[in-house]
Amino acid sequence: MELVDDSCGQGLKRKTPENGNYALLNNFFMDDLNEDIFERILSWLPTSTFFRLTSLCKRWKAVASSSSFKLACSHIPSREPWFLMVAPNQNQPVIFDSAEGTWKRLKHPPLLQEESNQSCVPVAASGGLICYRNLAGNFIVSNPVTGSCSKLPPLHFVSEQHQPLNAIVMRTFSEDQLSYKIVLVFGELPNLLFKVYNSSSGYWEDEAALRRKVDDNSVEYDSSDDNVVYFLSKAGTVVASNMHRSPSKQYSSVITTNKDGEEVVHFLSSSGKVVACNLTCKCFFEYPRLLPVFSEYSIDIVECNGEILVVLLSEFLESASLRVWKYDEDNRGWHQIAAMPAAMSHDWYAKKADINCVGAGNQIFICLNFSELCTYILCDLVNNKWVELPKCCINGQVMDFMSAFSFEPRIEASV
């Protein structure tokens, strides 16, 4: 792992000061500890700190490949997230380390450096893993911390192929970080299907159809307001939607578990509605939209602490607002849970900006982009605190990113 040259401007304050780690170590004779206790102590260190300390001696460096150390790491409930940044023609992975408030560069795994995979783009993330998709439509799963990679078997469809892909989500099994699954949702509304890859079995299951949920208790609404609105994107192409979406997040989607223990995949339809696909019941429904279809806005969905949230940038009365919304099942409507301070959001008035967001625990990482400016905001939902991150500079050049994917830096995560 390689540190980025510098952040442009003042960096964020580290949550766990490095000096504190060394002070702790100076109070112990680490060589006197048995291997089991030694590895358990190291497993609690932030991942960046651990890799810096492995340069101290051979014993410390050898711990990284120890199976018992990886087991100790798997018992750590959670780690401060890293955010993998996405930019056009990016030749080296860059992450934002939220534990230290710094930018870092990672090395590309050898598999992703192969000519057939050089155009791979990240499409999903979970736990300590990132899922990439190449131009041929095949998937590669990687642990960005260790560089380990695995190429998934090619997709085979029983039904008609060449159907539009709506969602790609990934879920790791947190109890061991050794297994995961990937879910694809494709088709045109209302004819949706889904397909699942399970790493435990090593193959893709047959696709299954999703029916529209129409019972009395469902959140079912008339879709007659889904009128198509055509507009020119920033690239000059005609887009049949009122949504501003980055190509890097065209499959933006999340997976949650509802109160009945059923897995639900959420994605945004072409008209900006949130579509919920219940994989257990094999049905889907649409939430009511937040704004009329003809309103200008940019929207994204995130998962925070197991709940789906909507982030919405809109304009009203010559001002812009960026708000976070949650659906209230009892009242069958959306209610606001956080809002960017007006002094910050007003800067985006009349910019026609894209927002691309990702959730991580109580935080939302927001990329705000338009042709002349890229800004990155970290929102703390508990305290409604909005912090603009420092610019990322590599070799003296400011990097502009379109979107991000959140993952936990876990050495033990297996592909």
Side-chain angles (χ1 to χ4, degrees), residues 37-62:
I37 296 177
F38 178 66
E39 290 178 350
R40 289 189 184 187
I41 292 174
L42 294 187
S43 69
W44 283 94
L45 290 176
T47 304
S48 295
T49 303
F50 169 76
F51 276 106
R52 282 196 295 270
L53 296 181
T54 54
S55 61
L56 293 179
C57 65
K58 291 182 179 180
R59 183 190 181 193
W60 288 58
K61 189 172 183 178

Side-chain angles (χ1 to χ4, degrees), residues 115-225:
E115 185 174 354
S116 60
N117 298 322
Q118 286 182 357
S119 298
C120 278
V121 293
V123 291
S126 179
L129 301 177
I130 302 285
C131 178
Y132 293 83
R133 188 171 186 252
N134 61 20
L135 292 177
N138 296 318
F139 296 91
I140 295 173
V141 174
S142 171
N143 181 330
V145 175
T146 64
S148 59
C149 281
S150 176
K151 184 182 294 185
L152 272 56
L155 283 165
H156 296 290
F157 293 91
V158 175
S159 60
E160 182 183 355
Q161 298 187 37
H162 309 298
Q163 299 194 64
L165 183 58
N166 300 302
I168 304 173
V169 295
M170 185 179 193
R171 168 165 282 187
T172 54
F173 298 97
S174 57
E175 61 269 14
D176 54 14
Q177 293 287 322
L178 298 177
S179 54
Y180 60 89
K181 66 179 176 182
I182 295 172
V183 182
L184 313 180
V185 178
F186 51 95
E188 295 276 7
L189 285 168
N191 302 310
L192 297 179
L193 303 97
F194 73 95
K195 197 174 183 71
V196 178
Y197 173 83
N198 196 314
S199 67
S200 299
S201 61
Y203 65 84
W204 291 94
E205 300 172 5
D206 291 339
E207 58 264 34
L210 292 162
R211 59 178 174 82
R212 187 185 289 273
K213 188 176 181 181
V214 294
D215 60 84
D216 294 338
N217 295 322
S218 67
V219 185
E220 191 61 38
Y221 295 88
D222 182 15
S223 59
S224 60
D225 64 338

Side-chain angles (χ1 to χ4, degrees), residues 231-284:
F231 67 94
L232 282 175
S233 72
K234 292 180 297 189
T237 57
V238 178
V239 181
S241 168
N242 233 40
M243 266 194 318
H244 303 296
R245 301 305 307 282
S246 164
S248 62
K249 293 294 290 293
Q250 60 181 313
Y251 308 118
S252 180
S253 44
V254 299
I255 184 169
T256 61
T257 302
N258 65 19
K259 60 183 179 181
D260 297 320
E262 301 164 340
E263 289 186 316
V264 182
V265 174
H266 303 81
F267 70 91
L268 290 170
S269 71
S270 59
S271 65
K273 271 191 173 182
V274 179
V275 181
C277 304
N278 189 311
L279 306 183
T280 306
C281 299
K282 297 181 180 178
C283 64
F284 75 92

Side-chain angles (χ1 to χ4, degrees), residues 303-314:
E303 178 269 324
C304 290
N305 291 325
E307 295 183 317
I308 176 179
L309 304 175
V310 170
V311 185
L312 189 68
L313 175 66
S314 60

